[in-house]
Amino acid sequence: MVVLPECCLLFGGHERQQLTYAGNDADSDLKQTLAALAKQYGIYLVAGTIPILADEGRVFSRSYLFNDRGEALGHYDKLHLFDVDVDDGTKSYRESDTFCPGEAVTVVDTPFGKVGMAICYDIRFADLFRAMRLQGAEIIVLPAAFTRVTGRAHWLPLLQARAIETQCFLLAAAQWGEHNQGKRETWGHSCVIDPWGEVQAIKPEGCGWLSAEIDLKAIEGIRRNIPVVEHNRFEPPKLKRL
């Protein structure tokens, strides 16, 4: 299974440029191209994010999970939009100007296990990850384009916390480097984290890839010995409609 980063086919200038390349779910050229790659190489592909048309003149930031025949097994629309101020070259990020928030939690059955889907800024919202765990997630994928400023401080601690809380493997694929003529920098540090919170593989810098073999049997003992789902005394989170 291959996981691509957020904005895997289009990343650079203002987010409004996404509208130029957005298509519908049924006829998106970007979606069809990614599906063809999954089929060509015989892989399961978590296709980062691409823009898919929504209402109100905006788009969804959507991640697809394709099987090795190029069939979409499921998709996830980014729930939490990055409307924040950061002390970097961009200064102000307002994804909601371009994107619509998603409305559903996604967990997909695959031969590798049950895969929960999240995107970048979602990592700050533990309720989403708990919801995926309650829907059976064993692996959680996270395409991302974390800023260098926030990534340096928060990327790895947040990933480890979500892995420990959910007792899942986290596969985080991240953009790295300078973009838009140096006005935007992303942190990189793509990594694989096990359900104990240990980093199994990491690529701190540079364009490229990393790989790791994971064993779902590791989950069984951790969940049996520390049964956090059974111990939790709070009601399961409910998704707010926006």
Side-chain angles (χ1 to χ4, degrees):
M1 183 166 67
V2 176
V3 184
L4 301 179
E6 187 177 19
C7 301
C8 58
L9 299 183
L10 174 65
F11 187 54
H14 193 278
E15 274 105 0
R16 297 296 292 182
Q17 291 179 318
Q18 301 270 344
L19 296 173
T20 304
Y21 299 93
N24 294 304
D25 177 77
D27 60 10
S28 165
D29 289 339
L30 300 182
K31 177 187 175 185
Q32 297 306 318
T33 297
L34 290 163
L37 287 172
K39 182 177 181 180
Q40 178 182 352
Y41 291 102
I43 58 172
Y44 279 68
L45 179 64
V46 179
T49 65
I50 59 173
I52 295 294
L53 288 172
D55 297 330
E56 308 170 7
R58 294 187 292 173
V59 296
F60 293 113
S61 181
R62 181 169 293 179
S63 182
Y64 286 96
L65 201 166
F66 298 104
N67 66 15
D68 54 358
R69 296 185 297 276
E71 300 164 340
L73 300 182
H75 70 261
Y76 167 74
D77 296 327
K78 189 175 185 178
L79 276 167
H80 301 100
L81 301 181
F82 193 58
D83 288 0
V84 305
D85 298 317
V86 178
D87 188 16
D88 64 6
T90 299
K91 304 297 184 185
S92 181
Y93 297 81
R94 295 294 180 268
E95 283 189 339
S96 63
D97 289 346
T98 302
F99 298 104
C100 284
E103 296 185 344
V105 177
T106 300
V107 177
V108 181
D109 282 315
T110 77
F112 308 97
K114 293 183 180 294
V115 178
M117 303 180 72
I119 298 168
C120 200
Y121 188 50
D122 284 331
I123 195 66
R124 295 185 182 273
F125 300 90
D127 283 347
L128 169 60
F129 288 76
R130 183 185 171 205
M132 287 189 280
R133 166 67 197 274
L134 293 176
Q135 290 188 18
E138 299 164 300
I139 300 166
I140 296 174
V141 293
L142 186 87
F146 240 67
T147 72
R148 184 173 180 84
V149 171
T150 57
R152 181 185 291 112
H154 300 153
W155 172 250
L156 195 56
L158 285 169
L159 288 171
Q160 290 177 298
R162 299 295 88 85
I164 293 167
E165 291 164 354
T166 61
Q167 300 171 318
C168 289
F169 283 93
L170 253 68
L171 315 182
Q175 294 273 4
W176 171 84
E178 293 186 356
H179 318 271
N180 196 19
Q181 298 178 334
K183 294 180 180 178
R184 184 170 181 180
E185 286 187 274
T186 48
W187 179 236
H189 290 77
S190 296
C191 55
V192 176
I193 299 177
D194 71 18
W196 195 245
E198 295 182 344
V199 178
Q200 298 295 300
I202 188 166
K203 184 172 179 57
E205 297 181 339
C207 297
W209 57 279
L210 61 84
S211 65
E213 293 186 12
I214 64 175
D215 184 358
L216 294 187
K217 292 180 180 178
I219 294 176
E220 299 173 6
I222 291 171
R223 292 184 178 183
R224 181 177 61 251
N225 294 337
I226 309 178
V228 292
V229 169
E230 288 76 10
H231 291 165
N232 197 316
R233 298 180 64 187
F234 287 89
E235 291 293 327
K238 294 181 180 179
L239 187 62
K240 292 191 298 183
R241 299 296 179 184
L242 300 176

